[in-house]
């Protein structure tokens, strides 16, 4: 998914910062086995390990896993697909921050998550929910359509009811769920463009490099009234949080 760990860490560290309170919700205990699903460069895996848990991080991107291994020598990381993974030893918890909105179909990821939890194990996750980055993606899709391009959205931003139903269908009992806005400051004047260059690449695959510059400007102009203010660009993030148990 992401192939540029340095850029990800330099310009998008708010993803990890926002995940810190999900680590608090996880409240890992000494000796617990925790899977960090979509661990990226491993910052949150390290925070979980600092509580005394044994953490395994998996991510689809080999580049991210390489960066995680370089930074956090004592931790265990592996390349893995959220739709197709299994472990022989069960986990006490599966933790996932800002990953599952990239994973379609969601049922496949939830089946793997449920299968790798031991009895009483918990699933603690945050992903983009309904309305997430709607202003940005609407403008991108409109501008691409004006240029004759009609890409599929790479994202899955479910409503709370839809996602909790899928979690329950996977065999987990939902104990907590919340859907809430989190307007997110994107650093610097180029913040929105940096975000699009990092995260919207799959939408702009058919766009030539010379057209890209003009596309970014058109999107910036379209969303400026809604998303620029108070000293910068703010992405219109909406989060979905879930805590569920395997009984
Ligand atoms: C998110 O964390 O909500 C997100 C990140 C990149 C693209 C789309 C959504």
């Amino acid at each position: 998914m992401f192939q540029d760990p340095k850029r990800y860490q330099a310009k998008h560290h708010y993803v990890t910062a926002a995940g810190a309170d999900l680590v608090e919700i996880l409240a890992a205990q000494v000796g617990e086995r925790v899977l960090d699903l979509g661990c990226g460069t491993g910052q949150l895996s390290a925070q979980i390990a600092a509580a005394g848990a044994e953490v395994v991080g998996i991510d689809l991107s080999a580049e991210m896993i390489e960066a995680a291994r370089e930074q956090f020598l004592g931790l265990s990381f592996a390349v893995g697909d959220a739709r197709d993974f299994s472990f022989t030893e069960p986990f006490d918890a599966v933790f996932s921050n800002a990953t599952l909105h990239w994973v379609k179909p969601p049922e496949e990821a939830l089946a793997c998550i449920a299968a790798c939890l031991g009895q009483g194990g918990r699933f603690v996750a945050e992903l983009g929910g309904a309305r997430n980055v709607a202003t940005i993606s609407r403008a991108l899709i409109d501008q691409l359509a004006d240029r004759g391009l009609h890409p599929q959205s790479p994202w899955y931003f479910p409503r709370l009811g839809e996602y909790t139903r899928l979690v329950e269908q996977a065999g987990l009992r939902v104990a907590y769920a919340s859907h809430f806005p989190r307007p997110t400051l994107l650093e610097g004047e180029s913040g929105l463009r940096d975000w699009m260059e990092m995260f919207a690449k799959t939408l702009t695959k058919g766009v030539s490099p010379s057209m890209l510059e003009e596309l970014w400007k058109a999107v910036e102009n379209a969303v400026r009234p809604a998303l620029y203010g108070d000293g910068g660009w703010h992405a219109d993030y909406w989060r979905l949080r879930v805590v569920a148990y395997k009984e």
Side-chain angles (χ1 to χ4, degrees), residues 7-8 26 43 66 83 122 155 158 161:
R7 185 171 187 188
Y8 181 79
L26 172 71
Q43 268 73 17
E66 198 183 318
R83 293 163 304 181
R122 61 202 185 281
W155 303 311

Side-chain angles (χ1 to χ4, degrees), residues 25-45:
I25 292 173
L26 172 71
Q29 304 296 303
V30 175
E32 279 192 323
R33 249 175 78 73
V34 178
L35 176 67
D36 183 0
L37 183 58
C39 62
T41 49
Q43 268 73 17
L44 295 178
S45 312

Side-chain angles (χ1 to χ4, degrees), residues 2 15 98 101-102 127-128 132-133 155 157 195 199 237-239:
F2 306 129
V15 179
H101 49 250
W102 292 99
L127 61 153
N132 196 39
V133 295
W155 303 311
F157 298 138
W195 187 94
F199 295 122
Y237 275 24
W238 275 78
R239 316 316 284 168

